[in-house]
């Protein structure tokens, strides 16, 4: 036996693939993961359509429940771990705390070594900084609008003139579809405007 030899650790290599819409294919990501050494039967995946919470990503939730300390999770890119920087970094942090290695093929990250952990830490810090700067920008914009006496929130889809036109067209018997098309808004907006007029 070699003196001071590190104990042999049996690592399970797992893969995760995600696409943002149901009509996109996972094949390219799965193929890349298999080439990188992941057994095709150990690739977890999700197809999303606008939702971003982990509850709506059963593949990721199952993977994280299955993974144990010492295992490695391989992804094509770290953006596959979430829909925004905060989600991605929360997942990376969780993996680090649990002793699970993350390997990202596109970014060349491998948190089993010091360089990979440093890169992941820098990315996490940058993401948190960007989120904080975004909050500060939104707050400053709201305060500036408030100081000028401007409305805060989403602008109205229709101004007073267009509301009046919608009401006249409705009174003339035009269907909501025609009114919406004429004014360049959705039928829901037309229905809402007409409902406010009736209340």
């Amino acid at each position: 036996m070699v003196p001071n030899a590190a104990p042999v650790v049996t690592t399970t290599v797992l893969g995760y693939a995600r696409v943002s819409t149901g009509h996109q294919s996972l094949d390219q990501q799965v193929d890349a993961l298999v080439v990188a050494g992941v057994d095709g039967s150990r690739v977890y995946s999700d197809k999303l359509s606008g939702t971003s919470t982990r509850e709506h990503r059963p593949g990721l939730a199952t993977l994280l429940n299955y993974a144990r300390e010492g295992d490695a999770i391989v992804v094509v890119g770290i953006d596959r771990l979430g829909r925004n920087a905060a989600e991605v970094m929360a997942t990376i942090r969780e993996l680090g705390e649990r002793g699970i290695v993350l390997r990202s093929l596109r970014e060349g990250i491998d948190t089993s070594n010091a360089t990979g952990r440093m890169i992941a830490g820098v990315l996490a810090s940058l993401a948190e900084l960007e989120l904080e700067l975004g909050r500060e920008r939104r707050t400053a914009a709201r305060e500036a609008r408030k100081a000028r006496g401007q409305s805060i929130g989403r602008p109205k889809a229709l101004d007073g003139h267009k509301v009046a036109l919608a009401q006249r067209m409705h009174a003339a018997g035009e269907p909501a579809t025609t009114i919406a098309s004429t004014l360049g808004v959705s039928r829901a907006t037309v229905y809402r405007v007409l409902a406010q007029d009736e209340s």
Side-chain angles (χ1 to χ4, degrees):
M1 183 173 175
V2 180
N4 301 320
V8 176
V9 178
T10 303
T11 298
T12 303
V13 180
L14 308 163
Y16 178 67
R18 176 180 68 80
V19 290
S20 300
T21 60
H23 70 269
Q24 290 178 313
S25 173
L26 291 160
D27 294 347
Q28 187 175 0
Q29 289 180 56
V30 173
D31 290 347
L33 294 173
V34 170
V35 168
V38 181
D39 184 323
S41 66
R42 293 192 179 273
V43 175
Y44 296 76
S45 62
D46 285 310
K47 285 192 175 189
L48 300 184
S49 55
T51 56
S52 63
T53 60
R54 187 172 292 177
E55 294 75 32
H56 292 101
R57 287 178 286 162
L60 180 61
T62 303
L63 168 62
L64 294 176
N65 286 336
Y66 180 82
R68 297 291 178 261
E69 184 176 357
D71 287 349
I73 293 176
V74 184
V75 291
V76 171
I78 61 168
D79 60 329
R80 299 300 86 198
L81 294 172
R83 296 294 297 270
N84 57 50
E87 282 184 4
V88 170
M89 293 312 138
T91 302
I92 290 175
R93 193 173 294 113
E94 177 185 338
L95 295 176
E97 290 168 356
R98 293 175 54 192
I100 298 168
V101 171
L102 172 67
R103 294 186 186 129
S104 178
L105 305 179
R106 185 187 309 133
E107 293 86 2
I109 294 172
D110 184 339
T111 61
S112 66
N113 61 57
T115 303
R117 287 191 294 275
M118 182 197 73
I119 293 170
V122 168
L123 289 173
S125 297
L126 289 173
E128 287 174 5
L129 175 63
E130 180 57 33
L131 288 171
E132 184 59 34
L133 291 175
R135 280 193 291 269
E136 288 178 8
R137 284 193 295 266
R138 289 189 295 275
T139 300
R142 276 196 305 272
E143 293 301 321
R145 291 183 69 80
K146 195 173 178 181
R148 291 188 182 97
Q150 297 172 328
S151 64
I152 299 171
R154 275 175 53 181
K156 291 185 177 180
L158 297 176
D159 60 21
H161 297 294
K162 288 185 177 179
V163 168
L165 176 57
Q167 292 165 345
R168 286 196 303 274
M169 290 177 74
H170 177 65
E174 294 289 349
T177 304
T178 303
I179 300 171
S181 176
T182 302
L183 299 177
V185 296
S186 67
R187 283 184 304 163
T189 298
V190 171
Y191 290 133
R192 190 164 49 248
V193 166
L194 296 177
Q196 288 169 355
D197 182 49
E198 292 168 359
S199 59

